[in-house]
Amino acid sequence: MKGATLDTFYGAKIQNTEQTEDNIKENAPKPSKGNGNSPQTYEEFESEMTKKMEAFWEEKLEIMQKKFTHLQNQFDQTVKENQALKARIRQLEDNDRVKEQESIKQSQNTKKLEENIKYLTDKVIDLENRGRRDNLRIIGLPEKPEINTKLDMVIQDIIKENCPEILEQGGNTATDRAHRTPSTLNPQKTTPRNVIAKFQSYQTKEKILQEARKRQFRYKGMPIRVTQDLASSTLNDRKAWNMIFRKARELGLQPRISYPAKLTIYFQEKVWAFNKIEDFQLFAKKRPELCGKFDTENQRARNT
């Protein structure tokens, strides 16, 4: 019976035993007189019934004992499995902690590698720029065979036309070599390729560059530009300043791009320098005279 307790069970047993005893007394044969062939006596009947009842309850007890043993074995097995699961969970947690620590170390190593790569990249760019320190880049020189075959002579003509004082002062204007870049002409591109000229004298190259910053250079009356030759990544960094540079010049801020790609302006009788566009935009937002005049995002949207 479900929900029955041991007390209930044994109480029922006692009650059944008392009822059985009452039944035995009621149904017990009456003693009779006579010889040994007389019917079974009450004492013999009671003894026989008692043995049957004891055998019955011993059988029931044995069955219950087996069930209890089976349940105990199942419980012990469950405990073992539970302990094994707990051990596995602890192992997984330990593995997770180890992996987390390894991930942190890997992130730190990755960060160090990124810093090293940036340092080495900047170093290589700086070395490339220093290797180009004697070069000038000439932009807008027409793409003609008579020019391309005589670039050294054309460069001398440009110097005579735009800064003859250098020749008068006896400056060494000789070039080691001059060439177009890129080396292959793209027929789909309408603008002429740049000319790279390497001068023998760094001082002469600097004088030509200073004169080119003061005024527009020309070749046989055609406008050209003369700038410092730099690594492509540095040139791209400088080009990023173009929109801000033009607006600053319109506002009379006397902008200049200094090496490698730093913008300087003259504002409120001070010279201000900026390495990043974000730094300049933050500076402009805090000045009422400049606020809203250097919104590069809106300018790009209008241009597109």
Side-chain angles (χ1 to χ4, degrees), residues 186-223:
N186 185 357
Q188 297 180 351
K189 198 170 183 179
T190 58
T191 57
R193 291 173 294 168
N194 295 348
V195 173
I196 306 298
K198 180 176 176 60
F199 286 81
Q200 294 180 356
S201 171
Y202 172 77
Q203 289 77 14
T204 300
K205 172 237 130 180
E206 280 295 305
K207 290 179 180 179
I208 297 171
L209 185 60
Q210 289 174 5
E211 294 299 323
R213 288 169 178 167
K214 294 177 183 178
R215 59 183 180 274
Q216 176 73 62
F217 269 33
R218 295 180 179 274
Y219 173 68
K220 295 182 178 181
M222 294 179 294

mmCIF file of all heavy atoms in Angstrom, residues 186-223:
data_model
loop_
_atom_site.group_PDB
_atom_site.id
_atom_site.type_symbol
_atom_site.label_atom_id
_atom_site.label_comp_id
_atom_site.label_asym_id
_atom_site.label_seq_id
_atom_site.Cartn_x
_atom_site.Cartn_y
_atom_site.Cartn_z
ATOM 1 N N ASN A 186 49.385 53.957 -67.685
ATOM 2 C CA ASN A 186 48.016 53.451 -67.719
ATOM 3 C C ASN A 186 47.228 54.270 -68.744
ATOM 4 O O ASN A 186 46.959 55.452 -68.519
ATOM 5 C CB ASN A 186 47.383 53.561 -66.334
ATOM 6 C CG ASN A 186 45.992 52.932 -66.289
ATOM 7 O OD1 ASN A 186 45.471 52.463 -67.298
ATOM 8 N ND2 ASN A 186 45.387 52.914 -65.111
ATOM 9 N N PRO A 187 46.837 53.660 -69.873
ATOM 10 C CA PRO A 187 46.150 54.441 -70.910
ATOM 11 C C PRO A 187 44.789 54.978 -70.477
ATOM 12 O O PRO A 187 44.269 55.921 -71.070
ATOM 13 C CB PRO A 187 46.005 53.428 -72.067
ATOM 14 C CG PRO A 187 46.085 52.085 -71.421
ATOM 15 C CD PRO A 187 46.997 52.244 -70.244
ATOM 16 N N GLN A 188 44.186 54.370 -69.450
ATOM 17 C CA GLN A 188 42.883 54.827 -68.976
ATOM 18 C C GLN A 188 42.992 56.051 -68.060
ATOM 19 O O GLN A 188 41.981 56.656 -67.728
ATOM 20 C CB GLN A 188 42.179 53.686 -68.226
ATOM 21 C CG GLN A 188 41.866 52.478 -69.110
ATOM 22 C CD GLN A 188 41.183 51.371 -68.351
ATOM 23 O OE1 GLN A 188 41.084 51.432 -67.127
ATOM 24 N NE2 GLN A 188 40.704 50.353 -69.053
ATOM 25 N N LYS A 189 44.217 56.384 -67.662
ATOM 26 C CA LYS A 189 44.420 57.523 -66.771
ATOM 27 C C LYS A 189 44.791 58.750 -67.604
ATOM 28 O O LYS A 189 45.720 58.712 -68.412
ATOM 29 C CB LYS A 189 45.519 57.204 -65.761
ATOM 30 C CG LYS A 189 45.523 58.114 -64.553
ATOM 31 C CD LYS A 189 46.478 57.585 -63.492
ATOM 32 C CE LYS A 189 46.424 58.463 -62.247
ATOM 33 N NZ LYS A 189 47.329 57.964 -61.192
ATOM 34 N N THR A 190 44.040 59.818 -67.394
ATOM 35 C CA THR A 190 44.240 61.024 -68.214
ATOM 36 C C THR A 190 45.345 61.921 -67.673
ATOM 37 O O THR A 190 45.940 62.684 -68.438
ATOM 38 C CB THR A 190 42.928 61.817 -68.289
ATOM 39 O OG1 THR A 190 42.501 62.157 -66.959
ATOM 40 C CG2 THR A 190 41.831 61.000 -68.964
ATOM 41 N N THR A 191 45.599 61.874 -66.387
ATOM 42 C CA THR A 191 46.631 62.736 -65.808
ATOM 43 C C THR A 191 48.018 62.128 -66.037
ATOM 44 O O THR A 191 48.181 60.908 -66.033
ATOM 45 C CB THR A 191 46.406 62.924 -64.297
ATOM 46 O OG1 THR A 191 46.391 61.631 -63.677
ATOM 47 C CG2 THR A 191 45.079 63.601 -64.039
ATOM 48 N N PRO A 192 49.033 62.967 -66.230
ATOM 49 C CA PRO A 192 50.385 62.455 -66.465
ATOM 50 C C PRO A 192 50.976 61.846 -65.197
ATOM 51 O O PRO A 192 50.607 62.201 -64.073
ATOM 52 C CB PRO A 192 51.169 63.688 -66.905
ATOM 53 C CG PRO A 192 50.430 64.831 -66.304
ATOM 54 C CD PRO A 192 48.985 64.439 -66.298
ATOM 55 N N ARG A 193 51.875 60.908 -65.390
ATOM 56 C CA ARG A 193 52.560 60.289 -64.248
ATOM 57 C C ARG A 193 53.510 61.290 -63.594
ATOM 58 O O ARG A 193 54.022 62.213 -64.255
ATOM 59 C CB ARG A 193 53.353 59.071 -64.716
ATOM 60 C CG ARG A 193 52.506 57.905 -65.169
ATOM 61 C CD ARG A 193 53.374 56.820 -65.772
ATOM 62 N NE ARG A 193 54.017 57.267 -67.002
ATOM 63 C CZ ARG A 193 55.001 56.607 -67.615
ATOM 64 N NH1 ARG A 193 55.461 55.465 -67.109
ATOM 65 N NH2 ARG A 193 55.528 57.084 -68.736
ATOM 66 N N ASN A 194 53.723 61.109 -62.307
ATOM 67 C CA ASN A 194 54.665 61.969 -61.599
ATOM 68 C C ASN A 194 56.095 61.670 -62.037
ATOM 69 O O ASN A 194 56.406 60.577 -62.506
ATOM 70 C CB ASN A 194 54.541 61.765 -60.089
ATOM 71 C CG ASN A 194 53.199 62.202 -59.550
ATOM 72 O OD1 ASN A 194 52.431 62.865 -60.241
ATOM 73 N ND2 ASN A 194 52.892 61.812 -58.328
ATOM 74 N N VAL A 195 56.954 62.650 -61.825
ATOM 75 C CA VAL A 195 58.374 62.488 -62.101
ATOM 76 C C VAL A 195 59.133 62.558 -60.782
ATOM 77 O O VAL A 195 58.921 63.487 -59.986
ATOM 78 C CB VAL A 195 58.890 63.575 -63.063
ATOM 79 C CG1 VAL A 195 60.416 63.493 -63.210
ATOM 80 C CG2 VAL A 195 58.219 63.433 -64.424
ATOM 81 N N ILE A 196 59.991 61.579 -60.543
ATOM 82 C CA ILE A 196 60.829 61.551 -59.349
ATOM 83 C C ILE A 196 62.255 61.890 -59.761
ATOM 84 O O ILE A 196 62.827 61.227 -60.632
ATOM 85 C CB ILE A 196 60.793 60.173 -58.657
ATOM 86 C CG1 ILE A 196 59.352 59.752 -58.369
ATOM 87 C CG2 ILE A 196 61.619 60.200 -57.379
ATOM 88 C CD1 ILE A 196 58.614 60.644 -57.445
ATOM 89 N N ALA A 197 62.819 62.914 -59.143
ATOM 90 C CA ALA A 197 64.180 63.347 -59.460
ATOM 91 C C ALA A 197 65.036 63.277 -58.205
ATOM 92 O O ALA A 197 64.669 63.855 -57.174
ATOM 93 C CB ALA A 197 64.175 64.762 -60.030
ATOM 94 N N LYS A 198 66.157 62.577 -58.289
ATOM 95 C CA LYS A 198 67.093 62.471 -57.163
ATOM 96 C C LYS A 198 68.270 63.423 -57.408
ATOM 97 O O LYS A 198 69.025 63.265 -58.366
ATOM 98 C CB LYS A 198 67.610 61.038 -57.016
ATOM 99 C CG LYS A 198 68.590 60.854 -55.866
ATOM 100 C CD LYS A 198 68.995 59.408 -55.708
ATOM 101 C CE LYS A 198 70.046 59.244 -54.614
ATOM 102 N NZ LYS A 198 69.585 59.704 -53.308
ATOM 103 N N PHE A 199 68.413 64.413 -56.528
ATOM 104 C CA PHE A 199 69.463 65.424 -56.664
ATOM 105 C C PHE A 199 70.731 64.965 -55.948
ATOM 106 O O PHE A 199 70.689 64.251 -54.940
ATOM 107 C CB PHE A 199 68.988 66.752 -56.087
ATOM 108 C CG PHE A 199 67.989 67.459 -56.956
ATOM 109 C CD1 PHE A 199 66.647 67.103 -56.936
ATOM 110 C CD2 PHE A 199 68.393 68.463 -57.805
ATOM 111 C CE1 PHE A 199 65.731 67.737 -57.732
ATOM 112 C CE2 PHE A 199 67.477 69.122 -58.615
ATOM 113 C CZ PHE A 199 66.137 68.750 -58.581
ATOM 114 N N GLN A 200 71.857 65.433 -56.488
ATOM 115 C CA GLN A 200 73.144 65.117 -55.860
ATOM 116 C C GLN A 200 73.357 65.932 -54.592
ATOM 117 O O GLN A 200 74.049 65.488 -53.670
ATOM 118 C CB GLN A 200 74.290 65.375 -56.850
ATOM 119 C CG GLN A 200 74.282 64.451 -58.051
ATOM 120 C CD GLN A 200 75.419 64.728 -59.010
ATOM 121 O OE1 GLN A 200 76.203 65.690 -58.826
ATOM 122 N NE2 GLN A 200 75.545 63.906 -60.045
ATOM 123 N N SER A 201 72.751 67.113 -54.525
ATOM 124 C CA SER A 201 72.926 67.995 -53.370
ATOM 125 C C SER A 201 71.604 68.122 -52.607
ATOM 126 O O SER A 201 70.598 68.566 -53.180
ATOM 127 C CB SER A 201 73.404 69.381 -53.833
ATOM 128 O OG SER A 201 73.385 70.295 -52.759
ATOM 129 N N TYR A 202 71.622 67.747 -51.329
ATOM 130 C CA TYR A 202 70.429 67.889 -50.486
ATOM 131 C C TYR A 202 70.086 69.367 -50.289
ATOM 132 O O TYR A 202 68.911 69.743 -50.290
ATOM 133 C CB TYR A 202 70.671 67.218 -49.138
ATOM 134 C CG TYR A 202 69.590 67.470 -48.119
ATOM 135 C CD1 TYR A 202 68.383 66.795 -48.180
ATOM 136 C CD2 TYR A 202 69.774 68.399 -47.095
ATOM 137 C CE1 TYR A 202 67.383 67.018 -47.251
ATOM 138 C CE2 TYR A 202 68.781 68.632 -46.160
ATOM 139 C CZ TYR A 202 67.587 67.942 -46.248
ATOM 140 O OH TYR A 202 66.597 68.185 -45.324
ATOM 141 N N GLN A 203 71.111 70.224 -50.163
ATOM 142 C CA GLN A 203 70.880 71.653 -49.946
ATOM 143 C C GLN A 203 70.177 72.285 -51.152
ATOM 144 O O GLN A 203 69.244 73.093 -50.996
ATOM 145 C CB GLN A 203 72.209 72.371 -49.671
ATOM 146 C CG GLN A 203 72.832 72.071 -48.314
ATOM 147 C CD GLN A 203 73.499 70.703 -48.279
ATOM 148 O OE1 GLN A 203 73.725 70.068 -49.320
ATOM 149 N NE2 GLN A 203 73.825 70.248 -47.073
ATOM 150 N N THR A 204 70.613 71.909 -52.348
ATOM 151 C CA THR A 204 69.968 72.440 -53.554
ATOM 152 C C THR A 204 68.518 71.979 -53.645
ATOM 153 O O THR A 204 67.622 72.761 -53.967
ATOM 154 C CB THR A 204 70.730 71.984 -54.808
ATOM 155 O OG1 THR A 204 72.082 72.468 -54.742
ATOM 156 C CG2 THR A 204 70.062 72.499 -56.067
ATOM 157 N N LYS A 205 68.303 70.723 -53.353
ATOM 158 C CA LYS A 205 66.935 70.200 -53.368
ATOM 159 C C LYS A 205 66.046 70.963 -52.390
ATOM 160 O O LYS A 205 64.889 71.306 -52.706
ATOM 161 C CB LYS A 205 66.953 68.709 -53.040
ATOM 162 C CG LYS A 205 65.589 68.079 -52.832
ATOM 163 C CD LYS A 205 65.517 67.446 -51.475
ATOM 164 C CE LYS A 205 64.352 67.806 -50.698
ATOM 165 N NZ LYS A 205 64.225 67.239 -49.381
ATOM 166 N N GLU A 206 66.551 71.282 -51.193
ATOM 167 C CA GLU A 206 65.786 72.025 -50.196
ATOM 168 C C GLU A 206 65.490 73.449 -50.669
ATOM 169 O O GLU A 206 64.388 73.960 -50.467
ATOM 170 C CB GLU A 206 66.541 72.064 -48.876
ATOM 171 C CG GLU A 206 66.413 70.790 -48.050
ATOM 172 C CD GLU A 206 64.987 70.551 -47.580
ATOM 173 O OE1 GLU A 206 64.410 71.447 -46.931
ATOM 174 O OE2 GLU A 206 64.453 69.471 -47.870
ATOM 175 N N LYS A 207 66.433 74.077 -51.338
ATOM 176 C CA LYS A 207 66.200 75.442 -51.852
ATOM 177 C C LYS A 207 65.098 75.433 -52.914
ATOM 178 O O LYS A 207 64.237 76.315 -52.923
ATOM 179 C CB LYS A 207 67.499 75.999 -52.434
ATOM 180 C CG LYS A 207 68.559 76.322 -51.393
ATOM 181 C CD LYS A 207 69.818 76.856 -52.059
ATOM 182 C CE LYS A 207 70.895 77.174 -51.006
ATOM 183 N NZ LYS A 207 72.145 77.687 -51.633
ATOM 184 N N ILE A 208 65.148 74.456 -53.816
ATOM 185 C CA ILE A 208 64.101 74.357 -54.838
ATOM 186 C C ILE A 208 62.749 74.135 -54.181
ATOM 187 O O ILE A 208 61.734 74.737 -54.555
ATOM 188 C CB ILE A 208 64.425 73.211 -55.818
ATOM 189 C CG1 ILE A 208 65.728 73.505 -56.568
ATOM 190 C CG2 ILE A 208 63.280 72.999 -56.804
ATOM 191 C CD1 ILE A 208 66.227 72.337 -57.397
ATOM 192 N N LEU A 209 62.692 73.273 -53.162
ATOM 193 C CA LEU A 209 61.439 72.980 -52.475
ATOM 194 C C LEU A 209 60.895 74.212 -51.764
ATOM 195 O O LEU A 209 59.685 74.473 -51.787
ATOM 196 C CB LEU A 209 61.657 71.840 -51.474
ATOM 197 C CG LEU A 209 60.421 71.304 -50.743
ATOM 198 C CD1 LEU A 209 59.405 70.765 -51.741
ATOM 199 C CD2 LEU A 209 60.806 70.226 -49.746
ATOM 200 N N GLN A 210 61.782 75.002 -51.159
ATOM 201 C CA GLN A 210 61.349 76.232 -50.481
ATOM 202 C C GLN A 210 60.759 77.228 -51.477
ATOM 203 O O GLN A 210 59.742 77.878 -51.189
ATOM 204 C CB GLN A 210 62.531 76.849 -49.737
ATOM 205 C CG GLN A 210 62.964 76.048 -48.512
ATOM 206 C CD GLN A 210 64.222 76.599 -47.878
ATOM 207 O OE1 GLN A 210 64.736 77.646 -48.285
ATOM 208 N NE2 GLN A 210 64.751 75.889 -46.888
ATOM 209 N N GLU A 211 61.381 77.347 -52.645
ATOM 210 C CA GLU A 211 60.850 78.257 -53.666
ATOM 211 C C GLU A 211 59.513 77.759 -54.199
ATOM 212 O O GLU A 211 58.605 78.552 -54.474
ATOM 213 C CB GLU A 211 61.853 78.391 -54.821
ATOM 214 C CG GLU A 211 63.155 79.079 -54.452
ATOM 215 C CD GLU A 211 62.940 80.507 -53.962
ATOM 216 O OE1 GLU A 211 62.046 81.189 -54.517
ATOM 217 O OE2 GLU A 211 63.635 80.935 -53.012
ATOM 218 N N ALA A 212 59.357 76.429 -54.308
ATOM 219 C CA ALA A 212 58.102 75.871 -54.805
ATOM 220 C C ALA A 212 56.958 76.102 -53.822
ATOM 221 O O ALA A 212 55.791 76.157 -54.219
ATOM 222 C CB ALA A 212 58.283 74.379 -55.076
ATOM 223 N N ARG A 213 57.276 76.239 -52.544
ATOM 224 C CA ARG A 213 56.245 76.512 -51.542
ATOM 225 C C ARG A 213 55.793 77.971 -51.575
ATOM 226 O O ARG A 213 54.685 78.290 -51.119
ATOM 227 C CB ARG A 213 56.777 76.175 -50.154
ATOM 228 C CG ARG A 213 56.915 74.666 -49.899
ATOM 229 C CD ARG A 213 57.671 74.388 -48.636
ATOM 230 N NE ARG A 213 57.765 72.947 -48.346
ATOM 231 C CZ ARG A 213 58.565 72.415 -47.442
ATOM 232 N NH1 ARG A 213 59.369 73.212 -46.711
ATOM 233 N NH2 ARG A 213 58.585 71.113 -47.262
ATOM 234 N N LYS A 214 56.627 78.828 -52.129
ATOM 235 C CA LYS A 214 56.302 80.251 -52.141
ATOM 236 C C LYS A 214 55.407 80.630 -53.308
ATOM 237 O O LYS A 214 54.601 81.559 -53.205
ATOM 238 C CB LYS A 214 57.595 81.071 -52.209
ATOM 239 C CG LYS A 214 58.473 80.948 -50.979
ATOM 240 C CD LYS A 214 59.756 81.740 -51.175
ATOM 241 C CE LYS A 214 60.701 81.585 -49.978
ATOM 242 N NZ LYS A 214 61.993 82.317 -50.194
ATOM 243 N N ARG A 215 55.573 79.944 -54.439
ATOM 244 C CA ARG A 215 54.843 80.353 -55.642
ATOM 245 C C ARG A 215 54.577 79.136 -56.536
ATOM 246 O O ARG A 215 55.145 78.073 -56.327
ATOM 247 C CB ARG A 215 55.628 81.425 -56.407
ATOM 248 C CG ARG A 215 57.009 80.980 -56.840
ATOM 249 C CD ARG A 215 57.748 82.117 -57.535
ATOM 250 N NE ARG A 215 59.091 81.722 -57.972
ATOM 251 C CZ ARG A 215 60.159 81.779 -57.197
ATOM 252 N NH1 ARG A 215 60.048 82.196 -55.943
ATOM 253 N NH2 ARG A 215 61.352 81.420 -57.673
ATOM 254 N N GLN A 216 53.744 79.403 -57.522
ATOM 255 C CA GLN A 216 53.403 78.372 -58.509
ATOM 256 C C GLN A 216 54.552 78.179 -59.495
ATOM 257 O O GLN A 216 55.002 79.125 -60.138
ATOM 258 C CB GLN A 216 52.138 78.789 -59.267
ATOM 259 C CG GLN A 216 51.735 77.851 -60.393
ATOM 260 C CD GLN A 216 51.149 76.556 -59.878
ATOM 261 O OE1 GLN A 216 50.126 76.560 -59.216
ATOM 262 N NE2 GLN A 216 51.803 75.443 -60.188
ATOM 263 N N PHE A 217 55.026 76.942 -59.623
ATOM 264 C CA PHE A 217 56.064 76.626 -60.609
ATOM 265 C C PHE A 217 55.415 76.350 -61.964
ATOM 266 O O PHE A 217 54.264 75.916 -62.058
ATOM 267 C CB PHE A 217 56.877 75.407 -60.170
ATOM 268 C CG PHE A 217 58.089 75.748 -59.352
ATOM 269 C CD1 PHE A 217 58.087 76.831 -58.492
ATOM 270 C CD2 PHE A 217 59.240 74.989 -59.446
ATOM 271 C CE1 PHE A 217 59.200 77.146 -57.727
ATOM 272 C CE2 PHE A 217 60.366 75.287 -58.693
ATOM 273 C CZ PHE A 217 60.339 76.375 -57.834
ATOM 274 N N ARG A 218 56.209 76.602 -63.034
ATOM 275 C CA ARG A 218 55.719 76.383 -64.382
ATOM 276 C C ARG A 218 56.808 75.746 -65.239
ATOM 277 O O ARG A 218 58.000 75.889 -64.955
ATOM 278 C CB ARG A 218 55.252 77.692 -65.026
ATOM 279 C CG ARG A 218 54.043 78.303 -64.326
ATOM 280 C CD ARG A 218 53.597 79.597 -64.994
ATOM 281 N NE ARG A 218 52.431 80.136 -64.314
ATOM 282 C CZ ARG A 218 51.177 79.785 -64.589
ATOM 283 N NH1 ARG A 218 50.938 78.890 -65.556
ATOM 284 N NH2 ARG A 218 50.170 80.302 -63.931
ATOM 285 N N TYR A 219 56.335 75.055 -66.285
ATOM 286 C CA TYR A 219 57.263 74.538 -67.289
ATOM 287 C C TYR A 219 56.773 75.016 -68.655
ATOM 288 O O TYR A 219 55.712 74.608 -69.124
ATOM 289 C CB TYR A 219 57.319 73.011 -67.258
ATOM 290 C CG TYR A 219 58.138 72.426 -68.390
ATOM 291 C CD1 TYR A 219 59.512 72.610 -68.435
ATOM 292 C CD2 TYR A 219 57.533 71.699 -69.414
ATOM 293 C CE1 TYR A 219 60.272 72.090 -69.469
ATOM 294 C CE2 TYR A 219 58.286 71.161 -70.442
ATOM 295 C CZ TYR A 219 59.647 71.363 -70.467
ATOM 296 O OH TYR A 219 60.400 70.844 -71.512
ATOM 297 N N LYS A 220 57.532 75.931 -69.232
ATOM 298 C CA LYS A 220 57.153 76.554 -70.498
ATOM 299 C C LYS A 220 55.756 77.139 -70.427
ATOM 300 O O LYS A 220 54.938 76.985 -71.338
ATOM 301 C CB LYS A 220 57.260 75.548 -71.645
ATOM 302 C CG LYS A 220 58.686 75.076 -71.917
ATOM 303 C CD LYS A 220 58.738 74.127 -73.098
ATOM 304 C CE LYS A 220 60.197 73.714 -73.361
ATOM 305 N NZ LYS A 220 60.311 72.798 -74.534
ATOM 306 N N GLY A 221 55.464 77.761 -69.305
ATOM 307 C CA GLY A 221 54.193 78.429 -69.104
ATOM 308 C C GLY A 221 53.098 77.541 -68.540
ATOM 309 O O GLY A 221 52.071 78.047 -68.072
ATOM 310 N N MET A 222 53.281 76.217 -68.523
ATOM 311 C CA MET A 222 52.260 75.295 -68.001
ATOM 312 C C MET A 222 52.472 75.103 -66.497
ATOM 313 O O MET A 222 53.613 74.874 -66.058
ATOM 314 C CB MET A 222 52.332 73.947 -68.717
ATOM 315 C CG MET A 222 51.970 74.021 -70.197
ATOM 316 S SD MET A 222 52.096 72.408 -71.012
ATOM 317 C CE MET A 222 53.859 72.110 -70.892
ATOM 318 N N PRO A 223 51.401 75.207 -65.696
ATOM 319 C CA PRO A 223 51.559 75.046 -64.238
ATOM 320 C C PRO A 223 51.930 73.613 -63.854
ATOM 321 O O PRO A 223 51.386 72.651 -64.390
ATOM 322 C CB PRO A 223 50.191 75.424 -63.683
ATOM 323 C CG PRO A 223 49.237 75.168 -64.801
ATOM 324 C CD PRO A 223 49.993 75.457 -66.072
#
